[in-house]
Amino acid sequence: MTDVLTKPVADRVALLELRRPPHNFIDERGLTELADALLAYDDDDDVSCLVLAAQGKHFCAGVDLRGIGAAGIRRFYRQALRVFSGRKPVVAAVHGAAVGGGLGLAMAADFRVAAPDARLTANFARLGFHHGFGLSVTLPRSVGQQRALELLYTGRSVSGTEAAELGLCDRVADDPRDAAIAFASEIAASAPLSLPAIRATMRRSMVADVSAALDIEANAQAALLGTADFAEGIAASVEKRPPRFTSS
């Protein structure tokens, strides 16, 4: 069974669905498969817009960091850059949790449709870690620098409803998948040659900035990966208790 299902869901709209329920934790293999599936539509003349969704309880509850080292982080982010670099517009349908790297994945899309009770969280600092997946770029572009700093420093969760108020998502719907498909259908009704051209123009600087940010984020994460605080942050998260950080 593959981690990503692809299928047509409407006229000129295709679905990319994460299939590692219930939490859809993503690792290098899964992200590579997603990037391959997404980029395979670059030259598909029958598809103009993509919907990124997930099976299970959560959209993506984060990155599976088990056994990962500095080299693994850099390989992972090479695949992340590929996700940003496709030609076709992407609408993400966010239900349940989009946490850490899962939020980063959602932010790689052009638009996000979230359930009212969805939980979007950049919780890296709560884990003794540094944020990644290009959030240094995508988060302030969506919510502004000050709000991005607040979300990164505190690691607090926001609901889908608050996310729409902040600019973190674009629409709220009880069924975000159906709403995302409808939104993608609106986009796909435009001229098929215009859409990738417009996307390339409008995202050019962002993708360049994300490429540079991924290198910086990877270095910062690698530096914190072996710290006692990161080990404590992970343990506290698993044990559902407040962390006891020691600056070590």
Side-chain angles (χ1 to χ4, degrees), residues 63-131:
V63 176
D64 184 350
L65 292 170
R66 288 175 298 179
I68 198 168
I73 291 173
R74 293 184 176 89
R75 289 196 306 270
F76 182 86
Y77 285 147
R78 282 197 288 272
Q79 298 306 318
L81 183 60
R82 295 178 68 218
V83 172
F84 279 93
S85 303
R87 298 182 63 238
K88 304 295 174 70
V90 180
V91 181
V94 180
H95 74 285
V99 178
L103 176 61
L105 177 60
M107 298 302 293
D110 299 73
F111 302 101
R112 284 151 296 285
V113 179
D117 60 352
R119 180 166 57 91
L120 294 85
T121 312
N123 67 332
F124 303 88
R126 295 280 179 93
L127 299 176
F129 210 37
H130 189 283
H131 60 275

Short mmCIF file of all heavy atoms in Angstrom, two decimals, residues 63-131:
data_model
loop_
_atom_site.label_atom_id
_atom_site.label_comp_id
_atom_site.label_asym_id
_atom_site.label_seq_id
_atom_site.Cartn_x
_atom_site.Cartn_y
_atom_site.Cartn_z
N VAL A 63 5.96 15.29 11.42
CA VAL A 63 7.00 14.51 10.75
C VAL A 63 7.45 13.38 11.67
O VAL A 63 7.61 13.57 12.88
CB VAL A 63 8.20 15.42 10.39
CG1 VAL A 63 9.33 14.60 9.77
CG2 VAL A 63 7.76 16.53 9.44
N ASP A 64 7.63 12.21 11.10
CA ASP A 64 8.15 11.07 11.84
C ASP A 64 9.67 11.23 11.94
O ASP A 64 10.40 11.03 10.97
CB ASP A 64 7.80 9.78 11.10
CG ASP A 64 8.22 8.53 11.86
OD1 ASP A 64 8.96 8.66 12.86
OD2 ASP A 64 7.83 7.43 11.44
N LEU A 65 10.16 11.60 13.12
CA LEU A 65 11.57 11.90 13.32
C LEU A 65 12.36 10.71 13.85
O LEU A 65 13.56 10.84 14.14
CB LEU A 65 11.72 13.06 14.30
CG LEU A 65 11.24 14.43 13.81
CD1 LEU A 65 11.23 15.43 14.96
CD2 LEU A 65 12.11 14.94 12.68
N ARG A 66 11.73 9.55 13.97
CA ARG A 66 12.43 8.40 14.53
C ARG A 66 13.65 8.03 13.68
O ARG A 66 13.55 7.80 12.48
CB ARG A 66 11.49 7.21 14.62
CG ARG A 66 10.42 7.34 15.69
CD ARG A 66 9.45 6.19 15.65
NE ARG A 66 8.73 6.16 14.37
CZ ARG A 66 7.83 5.22 14.06
NH1 ARG A 66 7.55 4.27 14.93
NH2 ARG A 66 7.22 5.25 12.88
N GLY A 67 14.82 8.02 14.34
CA GLY A 67 16.04 7.61 13.68
C GLY A 67 16.62 8.61 12.71
O GLY A 67 17.61 8.32 12.03
N ILE A 68 16.07 9.81 12.65
CA ILE A 68 16.54 10.79 11.68
C ILE A 68 17.75 11.54 12.25
O ILE A 68 17.84 11.80 13.45
CB ILE A 68 15.42 11.77 11.28
CG1 ILE A 68 15.76 12.49 9.98
CG2 ILE A 68 15.16 12.78 12.40
CD1 ILE A 68 14.59 13.26 9.39
N GLY A 69 18.69 11.86 11.38
CA GLY A 69 19.85 12.67 11.74
C GLY A 69 19.92 13.90 10.87
O GLY A 69 18.99 14.19 10.10
N ALA A 70 21.03 14.62 10.95
CA ALA A 70 21.17 15.85 10.18
C ALA A 70 21.05 15.59 8.68
O ALA A 70 20.39 16.35 7.96
CB ALA A 70 22.52 16.50 10.50
N ALA A 71 21.67 14.53 8.19
CA ALA A 71 21.60 14.22 6.76
C ALA A 71 20.18 13.87 6.36
O ALA A 71 19.72 14.26 5.27
CB ALA A 71 22.55 13.07 6.42
N GLY A 72 19.46 13.17 7.24
CA GLY A 72 18.08 12.82 6.95
C GLY A 72 17.18 14.04 6.88
O GLY A 72 16.27 14.11 6.04
N ILE A 73 17.42 15.02 7.76
CA ILE A 73 16.65 16.26 7.72
C ILE A 73 16.85 16.97 6.38
O ILE A 73 15.89 17.43 5.76
CB ILE A 73 17.05 17.20 8.87
CG1 ILE A 73 16.59 16.62 10.21
CG2 ILE A 73 16.47 18.59 8.68
CD1 ILE A 73 17.09 17.37 11.41
N ARG A 74 18.08 17.03 5.91
CA ARG A 74 18.37 17.71 4.64
C ARG A 74 17.75 16.97 3.46
O ARG A 74 17.23 17.59 2.53
CB ARG A 74 19.87 17.88 4.48
CG ARG A 74 20.47 18.85 5.51
CD ARG A 74 21.95 19.11 5.30
NE ARG A 74 22.42 20.10 6.25
CZ ARG A 74 22.89 19.79 7.47
NH1 ARG A 74 22.96 18.54 7.85
NH2 ARG A 74 23.28 20.76 8.29
N ARG A 75 17.78 15.64 3.49
CA ARG A 75 17.12 14.88 2.42
C ARG A 75 15.62 15.13 2.43
O ARG A 75 15.00 15.29 1.37
CB ARG A 75 17.40 13.38 2.58
CG ARG A 75 18.84 12.96 2.28
CD ARG A 75 18.92 11.46 2.09
NE ARG A 75 18.35 10.73 3.21
CZ ARG A 75 19.04 10.34 4.28
NH1 ARG A 75 20.33 10.64 4.40
NH2 ARG A 75 18.45 9.66 5.26
N PHE A 76 15.05 15.15 3.62
CA PHE A 76 13.61 15.40 3.76
C PHE A 76 13.24 16.75 3.15
O PHE A 76 12.26 16.87 2.42
CB PHE A 76 13.23 15.35 5.24
CG PHE A 76 11.77 15.54 5.51
CD1 PHE A 76 10.90 14.46 5.47
CD2 PHE A 76 11.26 16.79 5.82
CE1 PHE A 76 9.54 14.62 5.72
CE2 PHE A 76 9.91 16.97 6.06
CZ PHE A 76 9.05 15.88 6.03
N TYR A 77 14.06 17.77 3.43
CA TYR A 77 13.73 19.10 2.93
C TYR A 77 13.98 19.27 1.44
O TYR A 77 13.40 20.14 0.79
CB TYR A 77 14.45 20.18 3.74
CG TYR A 77 13.81 20.37 5.11
CD1 TYR A 77 14.56 20.70 6.22
CD2 TYR A 77 12.44 20.20 5.27
CE1 TYR A 77 13.98 20.86 7.47
CE2 TYR A 77 11.84 20.35 6.50
CZ TYR A 77 12.61 20.68 7.59
OH TYR A 77 12.01 20.84 8.82
N ARG A 78 14.84 18.43 0.87
CA ARG A 78 14.95 18.43 -0.59
C ARG A 78 13.63 17.98 -1.22
O ARG A 78 13.21 18.52 -2.26
CB ARG A 78 16.10 17.53 -1.04
CG ARG A 78 17.48 18.17 -0.87
CD ARG A 78 18.53 17.45 -1.68
NE ARG A 78 18.88 16.15 -1.12
CZ ARG A 78 19.82 15.97 -0.19
NH1 ARG A 78 20.50 17.00 0.30
NH2 ARG A 78 20.09 14.76 0.26
N GLN A 79 12.98 17.04 -0.58
CA GLN A 79 11.67 16.61 -1.07
C GLN A 79 10.61 17.67 -0.79
O GLN A 79 9.69 17.89 -1.60
CB GLN A 79 11.27 15.27 -0.44
CG GLN A 79 12.21 14.13 -0.76
CD GLN A 79 12.42 13.96 -2.26
OE1 GLN A 79 11.48 14.04 -3.05
NE2 GLN A 79 13.67 13.72 -2.64
N ALA A 80 10.72 18.35 0.34
CA ALA A 80 9.78 19.42 0.65
C ALA A 80 9.83 20.51 -0.41
O ALA A 80 8.78 21.02 -0.85
CB ALA A 80 10.09 20.02 2.03
N LEU A 81 11.03 20.87 -0.87
CA LEU A 81 11.14 21.89 -1.91
C LEU A 81 10.45 21.44 -3.19
O LEU A 81 9.84 22.26 -3.88
CB LEU A 81 12.62 22.20 -2.18
CG LEU A 81 12.88 23.31 -3.20
CD1 LEU A 81 12.26 24.63 -2.76
CD2 LEU A 81 14.37 23.49 -3.42
N ARG A 82 10.52 20.16 -3.50
CA ARG A 82 9.82 19.65 -4.68
C ARG A 82 8.31 19.85 -4.56
O ARG A 82 7.64 20.14 -5.55
CB ARG A 82 10.13 18.16 -4.89
CG ARG A 82 11.58 17.87 -5.22
CD ARG A 82 11.80 16.37 -5.35
NE ARG A 82 11.14 15.84 -6.53
CZ ARG A 82 10.53 14.66 -6.58
NH1 ARG A 82 10.47 13.90 -5.50
NH2 ARG A 82 9.96 14.25 -7.69
N VAL A 83 7.77 19.71 -3.34
CA VAL A 83 6.34 19.92 -3.13
C VAL A 83 5.95 21.37 -3.43
O VAL A 83 4.87 21.64 -3.97
CB VAL A 83 5.95 19.54 -1.69
CG1 VAL A 83 4.51 19.93 -1.39
CG2 VAL A 83 6.15 18.04 -1.46
N PHE A 84 6.84 22.30 -3.12
CA PHE A 84 6.58 23.72 -3.40
C PHE A 84 6.68 24.05 -4.89
O PHE A 84 6.21 25.10 -5.31
CB PHE A 84 7.57 24.60 -2.64
CG PHE A 84 7.24 24.84 -1.21
CD1 PHE A 84 7.76 24.01 -0.22
CD2 PHE A 84 6.43 25.90 -0.83
CE1 PHE A 84 7.47 24.23 1.12
CE2 PHE A 84 6.13 26.13 0.51
CZ PHE A 84 6.66 25.29 1.48
N SER A 85 7.33 23.19 -5.66
CA SER A 85 7.79 23.58 -6.99
C SER A 85 6.94 23.11 -8.16
O SER A 85 7.31 23.32 -9.31
CB SER A 85 9.23 23.05 -7.19
OG SER A 85 10.09 23.54 -6.18
N GLY A 86 5.80 22.50 -7.90
CA GLY A 86 4.94 22.04 -8.98
C GLY A 86 4.35 23.19 -9.78
O GLY A 86 4.38 24.35 -9.36
N ARG A 87 3.80 22.87 -10.94
CA ARG A 87 3.24 23.89 -11.83
C ARG A 87 1.75 24.15 -11.59
O ARG A 87 1.25 25.21 -11.95
CB ARG A 87 3.44 23.47 -13.29
CG ARG A 87 4.89 23.33 -13.72
CD ARG A 87 5.01 22.95 -15.19
NE ARG A 87 4.46 23.99 -16.06
CZ ARG A 87 3.48 23.81 -16.93
NH1 ARG A 87 2.91 22.61 -17.05
NH2 ARG A 87 3.05 24.81 -17.67
N LYS A 88 1.04 23.19 -11.01
CA LYS A 88 -0.42 23.30 -10.88
C LYS A 88 -0.82 23.83 -9.51
O LYS A 88 -0.21 23.47 -8.49
CB LYS A 88 -1.07 21.94 -11.13
CG LYS A 88 -0.72 21.29 -12.47
CD LYS A 88 -1.25 22.09 -13.65
CE LYS A 88 -0.79 21.54 -15.00
NZ LYS A 88 -1.39 20.24 -15.35
N PRO A 89 -1.84 24.69 -9.44
CA PRO A 89 -2.33 25.16 -8.14
C PRO A 89 -2.81 24.01 -7.26
O PRO A 89 -3.30 22.99 -7.75
CB PRO A 89 -3.51 26.07 -8.52
CG PRO A 89 -3.25 26.47 -9.93
CD PRO A 89 -2.57 25.30 -10.56
N VAL A 90 -2.65 24.20 -5.94
CA VAL A 90 -3.01 23.16 -4.96
C VAL A 90 -3.90 23.78 -3.88
O VAL A 90 -3.59 24.85 -3.35
CB VAL A 90 -1.76 22.56 -4.30
CG1 VAL A 90 -2.16 21.47 -3.29
CG2 VAL A 90 -0.81 21.98 -5.35
N VAL A 91 -4.99 23.09 -3.57
CA VAL A 91 -5.86 23.47 -2.45
C VAL A 91 -5.77 22.36 -1.41
O VAL A 91 -6.04 21.20 -1.72
CB VAL A 91 -7.32 23.65 -2.90
CG1 VAL A 91 -8.19 24.07 -1.71
CG2 VAL A 91 -7.43 24.68 -4.03
N ALA A 92 -5.38 22.70 -0.19
CA ALA A 92 -5.29 21.70 0.88
C ALA A 92 -6.58 21.67 1.67
O ALA A 92 -7.14 22.72 2.01
CB ALA A 92 -4.12 22.03 1.81
N ALA A 93 -7.06 20.46 1.95
CA ALA A 93 -8.24 20.26 2.79
C ALA A 93 -7.77 19.78 4.16
O ALA A 93 -7.27 18.67 4.29
CB ALA A 93 -9.17 19.23 2.14
N VAL A 94 -7.93 20.63 5.17
CA VAL A 94 -7.34 20.36 6.48
C VAL A 94 -8.43 19.98 7.48
O VAL A 94 -9.33 20.77 7.76
CB VAL A 94 -6.57 21.59 7.00
CG1 VAL A 94 -5.96 21.30 8.37
CG2 VAL A 94 -5.49 22.00 6.01
N HIS A 95 -8.34 18.76 7.99
CA HIS A 95 -9.22 18.31 9.06
C HIS A 95 -8.36 17.78 10.19
O HIS A 95 -7.19 17.44 10.00
CB HIS A 95 -10.18 17.21 8.56
CG HIS A 95 -9.51 15.89 8.38
ND1 HIS A 95 -8.67 15.61 7.32
CD2 HIS A 95 -9.53 14.77 9.15
CE1 HIS A 95 -8.23 14.37 7.42
NE2 HIS A 95 -8.72 13.84 8.52
N GLY A 96 -8.93 17.72 11.39
CA GLY A 96 -8.14 17.25 12.52
C GLY A 96 -6.95 18.15 12.75
O GLY A 96 -7.06 19.37 12.76
N ALA A 97 -5.77 17.53 12.90
CA ALA A 97 -4.57 18.29 13.24
C ALA A 97 -3.66 18.47 12.04
O ALA A 97 -3.48 17.55 11.24
CB ALA A 97 -3.81 17.59 14.36
N ALA A 98 -3.12 19.66 11.92
CA ALA A 98 -2.00 19.95 11.01
C ALA A 98 -0.92 20.52 11.93
O ALA A 98 -0.93 21.72 12.25
CB ALA A 98 -2.40 20.93 9.93
N VAL A 99 -0.01 19.67 12.36
CA VAL A 99 0.92 20.01 13.45
C VAL A 99 2.35 20.00 12.93
O VAL A 99 2.76 19.08 12.21
CB VAL A 99 0.78 19.01 14.61
CG1 VAL A 99 1.78 19.32 15.71
CG2 VAL A 99 -0.63 19.03 15.16
N GLY A 100 3.14 21.01 13.30
CA GLY A 100 4.55 21.04 12.97
C GLY A 100 4.77 20.95 11.47
O GLY A 100 4.31 21.79 10.69
N GLY A 101 5.48 19.89 11.03
CA GLY A 101 5.68 19.70 9.61
C GLY A 101 4.39 19.49 8.85
O GLY A 101 4.32 19.77 7.65
N GLY A 102 3.35 19.02 9.53
CA GLY A 102 2.04 18.90 8.88
C GLY A 102 1.46 20.26 8.53
O GLY A 102 0.84 20.43 7.48
N LEU A 103 1.68 21.25 9.41
CA LEU A 103 1.28 22.61 9.08
C LEU A 103 2.13 23.12 7.93
O LEU A 103 1.62 23.77 7.01
CB LEU A 103 1.43 23.52 10.31
CG LEU A 103 1.14 25.00 10.07
CD1 LEU A 103 -0.30 25.22 9.60
CD2 LEU A 103 1.41 25.82 11.33
N GLY A 104 3.44 22.83 7.97
CA GLY A 104 4.31 23.24 6.87
C GLY A 104 3.84 22.69 5.55
O GLY A 104 3.87 23.38 4.53
N LEU A 105 3.40 21.43 5.54
CA LEU A 105 2.89 20.81 4.31
C LEU A 105 1.64 21.52 3.84
O LEU A 105 1.50 21.82 2.64
CB LEU A 105 2.60 19.34 4.57
CG LEU A 105 1.98 18.55 3.42
CD1 LEU A 105 2.88 18.55 2.20
CD2 LEU A 105 1.66 17.12 3.86
N ALA A 106 0.72 21.82 4.74
CA ALA A 106 -0.50 22.55 4.36
C ALA A 106 -0.17 23.92 3.79
O ALA A 106 -0.80 24.38 2.82
CB ALA A 106 -1.43 22.68 5.56
N MET A 107 0.84 24.58 4.36
CA MET A 107 1.21 25.92 3.92
C MET A 107 1.91 25.92 2.56
O MET A 107 2.04 26.95 1.92
CB MET A 107 2.10 26.59 4.96
CG MET A 107 1.44 26.80 6.31
SD MET A 107 -0.06 27.80 6.24
CE MET A 107 0.61 29.38 5.76
N ALA A 108 2.37 24.74 2.11
CA ALA A 108 2.97 24.65 0.77
C ALA A 108 1.93 24.78 -0.32
O ALA A 108 2.25 25.09 -1.47
CB ALA A 108 3.72 23.33 0.62
N ALA A 109 0.65 24.54 0.00
CA ALA A 109 -0.43 24.68 -0.96
C ALA A 109 -0.71 26.17 -1.22
O ALA A 109 -0.34 27.04 -0.42
CB ALA A 109 -1.69 23.99 -0.45
N ASP A 110 -1.41 26.44 -2.32
CA ASP A 110 -1.82 27.81 -2.62
C ASP A 110 -2.90 28.29 -1.66
O ASP A 110 -2.94 29.46 -1.28
CB ASP A 110 -2.35 27.90 -4.05
CG ASP A 110 -1.31 27.52 -5.08
OD1 ASP A 110 -1.01 26.32 -5.21
OD2 ASP A 110 -0.80 28.42 -5.76
N PHE A 111 -3.81 27.38 -1.32
CA PHE A 111 -4.95 27.70 -0.47
C PHE A 111 -5.19 26.57 0.51
O PHE A 111 -4.84 25.42 0.26
CB PHE A 111 -6.22 27.91 -1.31
CG PHE A 111 -6.10 28.97 -2.35
CD1 PHE A 111 -5.87 28.63 -3.69
CD2 PHE A 111 -6.20 30.32 -2.03
CE1 PHE A 111 -5.75 29.60 -4.67
CE2 PHE A 111 -6.08 31.30 -3.00
CZ PHE A 111 -5.86 30.94 -4.32
N ARG A 112 -5.86 26.93 1.63
CA ARG A 112 -6.23 25.95 2.63
C ARG A 112 -7.71 26.12 2.98
O ARG A 112 -8.16 27.24 3.25
CB ARG A 112 -5.39 26.11 3.92
CG ARG A 112 -3.98 25.58 3.78
CD ARG A 112 -3.00 26.30 4.65
NE ARG A 112 -2.87 27.71 4.27
CZ ARG A 112 -2.20 28.13 3.19
NH1 ARG A 112 -1.62 27.26 2.38
NH2 ARG A 112 -2.13 29.42 2.91
N VAL A 113 -8.44 25.01 2.97
CA VAL A 113 -9.82 24.96 3.46
C VAL A 113 -9.79 24.10 4.71
O VAL A 113 -9.36 22.94 4.67
CB VAL A 113 -10.78 24.35 2.41
CG1 VAL A 113 -12.20 24.30 2.97
CG2 VAL A 113 -10.74 25.16 1.12
N ALA A 114 -10.23 24.64 5.84
CA ALA A 114 -10.12 23.93 7.12
C ALA A 114 -11.48 23.69 7.74
O ALA A 114 -12.42 24.48 7.57
CB ALA A 114 -9.25 24.73 8.09
N ALA A 115 -11.60 22.58 8.46
CA ALA A 115 -12.78 22.36 9.29
C ALA A 115 -12.76 23.35 10.44
O ALA A 115 -11.69 23.77 10.89
CB ALA A 115 -12.77 20.92 9.82
N PRO A 116 -13.95 23.76 10.94
CA PRO A 116 -13.97 24.74 12.04
C PRO A 116 -13.17 24.28 13.26
O PRO A 116 -12.54 25.10 13.93
CB PRO A 116 -15.47 24.85 12.38
CG PRO A 116 -16.18 24.41 11.15
CD PRO A 116 -15.30 23.38 10.50
N ASP A 117 -13.18 22.96 13.52
CA ASP A 117 -12.49 22.45 14.69
C ASP A 117 -11.11 21.87 14.36
O ASP A 117 -10.51 21.17 15.19
CB ASP A 117 -13.33 21.39 15.40
CG ASP A 117 -13.66 20.20 14.48
OD1 ASP A 117 -13.37 20.27 13.28
OD2 ASP A 117 -14.21 19.21 14.99
N ALA A 118 -10.62 22.14 13.16
CA ALA A 118 -9.25 21.72 12.83
C ALA A 118 -8.27 22.38 13.80
O ALA A 118 -8.56 23.44 14.38
CB ALA A 118 -8.92 22.07 11.39
N ARG A 119 -7.12 21.77 13.96
CA ARG A 119 -6.11 22.30 14.89
C ARG A 119 -4.81 22.51 14.13
O ARG A 119 -4.17 21.55 13.70
CB ARG A 119 -5.93 21.32 16.05
CG ARG A 119 -4.92 21.75 17.08
CD ARG A 119 -5.06 20.93 18.35
NE ARG A 119 -4.93 19.50 18.10
CZ ARG A 119 -3.77 18.83 18.16
NH1 ARG A 119 -2.65 19.47 18.45
NH2 ARG A 119 -3.74 17.54 17.95
N LEU A 120 -4.43 23.78 13.96
CA LEU A 120 -3.22 24.11 13.23
C LEU A 120 -2.19 24.63 14.23
O LEU A 120 -2.45 25.58 14.98
CB LEU A 120 -3.50 25.17 12.16
CG LEU A 120 -4.43 24.72 11.01
CD1 LEU A 120 -5.91 24.90 11.40
CD2 LEU A 120 -4.15 25.51 9.74
N THR A 121 -1.01 24.00 14.23
CA THR A 121 -0.04 24.25 15.29
C THR A 121 1.39 24.22 14.78
O THR A 121 1.79 23.25 14.14
CB THR A 121 -0.16 23.19 16.40
OG1 THR A 121 -1.51 23.00 16.77
CG2 THR A 121 0.66 23.58 17.62
N ALA A 122 2.15 25.28 15.07
CA ALA A 122 3.60 25.27 14.85
C ALA A 122 4.23 25.06 16.22
O ALA A 122 4.68 26.01 16.88
CB ALA A 122 4.05 26.58 14.22
N ASN A 123 4.26 23.81 16.68
CA ASN A 123 4.57 23.49 18.07
C ASN A 123 6.05 23.23 18.34
O ASN A 123 6.42 22.70 19.39
CB ASN A 123 3.78 22.25 18.50
CG ASN A 123 4.22 20.99 17.75
OD1 ASN A 123 4.70 21.07 16.62
ND2 ASN A 123 4.04 19.85 18.37
N PHE A 124 6.91 23.61 17.41
CA PHE A 124 8.33 23.26 17.50
C PHE A 124 8.98 23.72 18.80
O PHE A 124 9.72 22.96 19.44
CB PHE A 124 9.08 23.85 16.30
CG PHE A 124 8.54 23.41 14.97
CD1 PHE A 124 7.52 24.11 14.35
CD2 PHE A 124 9.05 22.29 14.33
CE1 PHE A 124 7.02 23.72 13.13
CE2 PHE A 124 8.56 21.89 13.10
CZ PHE A 124 7.54 22.60 12.49
N ALA A 125 8.75 24.97 19.20
CA ALA A 125 9.39 25.49 20.40
C ALA A 125 8.95 24.73 21.64
O ALA A 125 9.70 24.60 22.62
CB ALA A 125 9.11 26.98 20.56
N ARG A 126 7.74 24.20 21.63
CA ARG A 126 7.25 23.40 22.76
C ARG A 126 7.97 22.06 22.84
O ARG A 126 7.92 21.38 23.87
CB ARG A 126 5.74 23.17 22.63
CG ARG A 126 4.90 24.44 22.73
CD ARG A 126 4.71 24.86 24.18
NE ARG A 126 3.93 26.08 24.29
CZ ARG A 126 2.62 26.12 24.47
NH1 ARG A 126 1.94 24.98 24.51
NH2 ARG A 126 1.99 27.26 24.58
N LEU A 127 8.62 21.68 21.75
CA LEU A 127 9.37 20.42 21.71
C LEU A 127 10.87 20.63 21.88
O LEU A 127 11.65 19.68 21.79
CB LEU A 127 9.11 19.70 20.39
CG LEU A 127 7.67 19.30 20.09
CD1 LEU A 127 7.58 18.70 18.70
CD2 LEU A 127 7.14 18.33 21.13
N GLY A 128 11.29 21.88 22.10
CA GLY A 128 12.72 22.16 22.17
C GLY A 128 13.40 22.09 20.81
O GLY A 128 14.59 21.77 20.72
N PHE A 129 12.66 22.43 19.77
CA PHE A 129 13.13 22.27 18.40
C PHE A 129 12.99 23.59 17.66
O PHE A 129 12.47 24.57 18.17
CB PHE A 129 12.31 21.16 17.72
CG PHE A 129 13.04 20.39 16.66
CD1 PHE A 129 14.38 20.07 16.78
CD2 PHE A 129 12.37 19.96 15.53
CE1 PHE A 129 15.05 19.34 15.81
CE2 PHE A 129 13.01 19.22 14.54
CZ PHE A 129 14.36 18.92 14.69
N HIS A 130 13.47 23.60 16.42
CA HIS A 130 13.33 24.76 15.54
C HIS A 130 12.31 24.43 14.45
O HIS A 130 12.25 23.30 13.99
CB HIS A 130 14.69 25.10 14.89
CG HIS A 130 14.72 26.39 14.13
ND1 HIS A 130 14.17 26.54 12.87
CD2 HIS A 130 15.25 27.59 14.45
CE1 HIS A 130 14.37 27.77 12.45
NE2 HIS A 130 15.02 28.43 13.40
N HIS A 131 11.54 25.42 14.05
CA HIS A 131 10.53 25.16 13.02
C HIS A 131 11.19 24.83 11.68
O HIS A 131 12.38 25.12 11.47
CB HIS A 131 9.60 26.36 12.87
CG HIS A 131 10.30 27.62 12.48
ND1 HIS A 131 10.89 28.46 13.39
CD2 HIS A 131 10.52 28.18 11.25
CE1 HIS A 131 11.43 29.48 12.76
NE2 HIS A 131 11.23 29.33 11.45
#
